[in-house]
């Protein structure tokens, strides 16, 4: 598929840029990589000069700024943002995205480094994650109904505690929309990365490092685990184990739960 | 192997572990091998029970570290490097939402609010549930819950 951005542009410079960007998807990786790094660095810079204002978290700024740049460029090329994203940004973005695979595996190291905690609190960790997920499912279900989401919308919300790769197929299986679920998983991570410190403070979560770690890993996936690691080795280790266990718990618990609630 | 000799080798490996990180390329090779093996295991799970490649990889590396096949110094530096990058690696996922702007328009602001509140629910409920089980451990089972 070749997207003809050039024919819809009226300016000569736009024709040149469009030529460079509207290639066979997968060929021009440079734009996606370039934009990702630049917007993230701007985020880091803003975070630094604002003395750590929570809305200027680099990930959040990078996301908003990146989408804004794509929206602006799509406007310039008279195309819609989804098409422009797919043809110009996605090839390079996917390349960076791939490195989340080794980054996820890397959490085995902080997990192993605090294996003493894992061994001692094995039972508590597993029980907390299973019971916590079931309680959260009820809460998310009734919250979704309170806000008047459709059955499809509710089904899309339920699997979000798992990592995206687990949550999407489960969502489809229980009658949800996989794209909405993916969006929820991504926003989970962005929200946790931005608000973790504040949430920990107002809910007094730091009194129990094990609970804080398990919570951050469950709510924020791998990004939450990175955040937990900044708080301490116990938190990081617990968040790492929750990423694995929660995915399996969601696999096992969410389909029967959806059945119970009459969603499927 | 006599007990003495065994202690000696244990000591040696412990010293080595402290001393020297494996070359970056070796560390990357270990990660690449684990990812490759995991990608072969992942399709063996049924479609109704998906377990993605990186999750299997995390468990595999953990098991390899536990059994001592892979030593900490063989993976630690690269692992720390990757974890340090994670917020940046997540930027493309965030920007991917540009392709979902239509969904947001369809479903409206309720969806975003539900997602924000769900995130907080998952964090707080999991943490408080853990507090509950820790309380049980301490006051009912009378076992230590001290974490340094």
């Amino acid at each position: 598929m070749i997207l003809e951005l050039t024919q819809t542009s009226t300016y000569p410079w736009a024709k040149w840029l469009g030529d460079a960007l509207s290639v066979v998807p997968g060929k021009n990786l440079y734009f996606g990589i370039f934009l990702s790094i630049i917007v993230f660095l701007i985020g880091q810079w803003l975070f630094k000069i604002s003395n750590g204002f929570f809305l200027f978290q680099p990930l959040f700024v990078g996301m908003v700024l990146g989408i804004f740049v794509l929206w602006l460029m799509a406007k310039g090329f008279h195309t819609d943002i989804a098409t422009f994203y797919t043809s110009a940004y996605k090839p390079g973005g996917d390349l960076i995205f791939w490195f989340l695979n080794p980054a996820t595996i890397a959490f085995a190291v902080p997990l192993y480094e605090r294996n003493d905690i894992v061994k001692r609190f094995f039972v508590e960790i597993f029980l907390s994650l299973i019971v916590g997920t079931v309680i959260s499912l009820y809460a998310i279900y009734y919250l979704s109904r309170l806000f008047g989401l459709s059955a499809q919308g509710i089904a899309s919300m339920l699997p979000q505690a798992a990592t995206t790769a687990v949550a999407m197929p489960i969502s489809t299986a229980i009658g949800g929309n996989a794209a909405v679920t993916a969006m929820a998983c991504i926003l989970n991570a962005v929200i946790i990365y931005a608000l973790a410190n504040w949430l920990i403070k107002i809910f007094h979560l730091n009194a129990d490092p094990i609970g804080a770690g398990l919570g951050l890993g469950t709510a924020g996936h791998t990004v939450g685990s990175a955040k937990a690691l900044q708080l301490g080795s116990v938190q990081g280790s617990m968040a790492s184990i929750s990423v694995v266990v929660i995915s399996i718990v969601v696999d096992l618990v969410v389909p029967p739960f959806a059945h119970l609630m009459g969603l499927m | 192997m006599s007990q003495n000799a065994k202690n000696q080798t244990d000591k040696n490996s412990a010293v080595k572990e402290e001393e020297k990180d494996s070359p970056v390329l070796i560390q990357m090779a270990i990660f690449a091998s684990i990812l490759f093996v995991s990608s072969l295991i992942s399709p063996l799970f049924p479609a109704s029970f998906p377990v993605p490649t990186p999750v299997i990889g995390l468990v595999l590396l953990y098991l390899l570290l536990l059994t001592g096949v892979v030593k900490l110094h063989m993976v630690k530096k690269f692992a720390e490097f990757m974890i340090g990058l994670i917020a940046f690696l997540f930027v493309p996922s965030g920007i991917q939402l540009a392709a979902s702007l239509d969904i947001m328009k369809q479903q409206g602001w309720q969806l975003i609010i539900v997602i924000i509140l769900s995130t907080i629910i998952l964090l707080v409920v999991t943490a408080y549930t853990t507090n509950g089980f820790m309380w049980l451990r301490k006051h009912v089972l009378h076992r230590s819950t001290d974490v340094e």
Side-chain angles (χ1 to χ4, degrees), chain A residues 19-154:
Chain A
D19 262 342
L21 292 178
S22 67
V23 286
V24 182
K27 200 176 163 196
N28 190 336
L29 306 168
Y30 306 110
F31 175 65
I33 296 170
F34 169 76
L35 183 67
S36 308
I37 294 185
I38 293 299
V39 292
F40 189 76
L41 285 179
I42 293 175
Q44 276 193 333
W45 175 73
L46 278 176
F47 190 65
K48 203 175 153 194
I49 61 161
S50 67
N51 278 326
F53 180 55
F54 75 99
L55 269 183
F56 286 165
Q57 288 278 0
L59 173 56
F60 185 67
V61 173
M63 176 186 120
V64 172
L65 209 58
I67 293 176
F68 179 69
V69 169
L70 287 183
W71 175 80
L72 219 58
M73 290 179 81
K75 269 250 141 83
F77 287 117
H78 304 291
T79 173
D80 66 296
I81 184 164
T83 318
F84 188 77
Y85 160 83
T86 313
S87 61
Y89 177 81
K90 195 169 183 290
D94 278 350
L95 192 104
I96 295 174
F97 177 77
W98 182 87
F99 282 93
L100 277 176
N101 289 310
T104 305
I105 293 183
F107 282 102
V109 170
L111 175 59
Y112 173 73
E113 282 184 314
R114 291 317 303 260
N115 208 31
D116 55 320
I117 302 286
V118 179
K119 268 189 197 153
R120 267 179 66 204
F121 299 102
F122 194 75
V123 178
E124 282 83 0
I125 292 168
F126 271 78
L127 282 177
S128 304
L129 287 175
I130 294 168
V131 175
T133 306
V134 173
I135 299 175
S136 303
L137 281 178
Y138 274 99
I140 293 171
Y141 175 81
Y142 285 110
L143 184 76
S144 307
R145 287 198 43 179
L146 191 70
F147 278 90
L149 294 193
S150 59
Q152 197 199 30
I154 299 174

Side-chain angles (χ1 to χ4, degrees), chain A residues 37 85 89 97 99 101 105 107 113-115 120-121 124 128 160 166 180 183 186 188 203 208 210 251, chain B residues 31 35 50 52 54 62 66 76 82 86 88 92-93 96-97 103 118-119 128 130-131 134 137 146 148:
Chain A
I37 294 185
Y85 160 83
Y89 177 81
F97 177 77
F99 282 93
N101 289 310
I105 293 183
F107 282 102
E113 282 184 314
R114 291 317 303 260
N115 208 31
R120 267 179 66 204
F121 299 102
E124 282 83 0
S128 304
Q160 62 178 299
V166 170
V180 175
M183 188 174 91
I186 294 163
N188 286 337
F203 288 107
D208 176 11
I210 297 182
D251 268 345
Chain B
F31 273 72
L35 273 175
Y62 176 65
L66 271 186
K76 193 169 175 189
M82 291 311 295
I86 231 164
F88 164 65
S93 304
Q96 188 200 325
L97 295 181
I103 299 174
S118 300
T119 310
Y128 282 0
T130 312
N131 289 353
M134 286 304 188
R137 180 186 166 104
D146 293 338
E148 90 287 10

Side-chain angles (χ1 to χ4, degrees), chain B residues 62-80:
Chain B
Y62 176 65
L63 292 177
L64 288 172
L65 285 166
L66 271 186
T67 52
V69 178
V70 169
K71 297 274 190 293
L72 208 49
H73 70 96
M74 297 174 176
V75 289
K76 193 169 175 189
K77 267 272 131 54
F78 189 65
E80 281 172 352

Side-chain angles (χ1 to χ4, degrees), chain B residues 4 9 48:
Chain B
N4 238 352
T9 51
S48 57

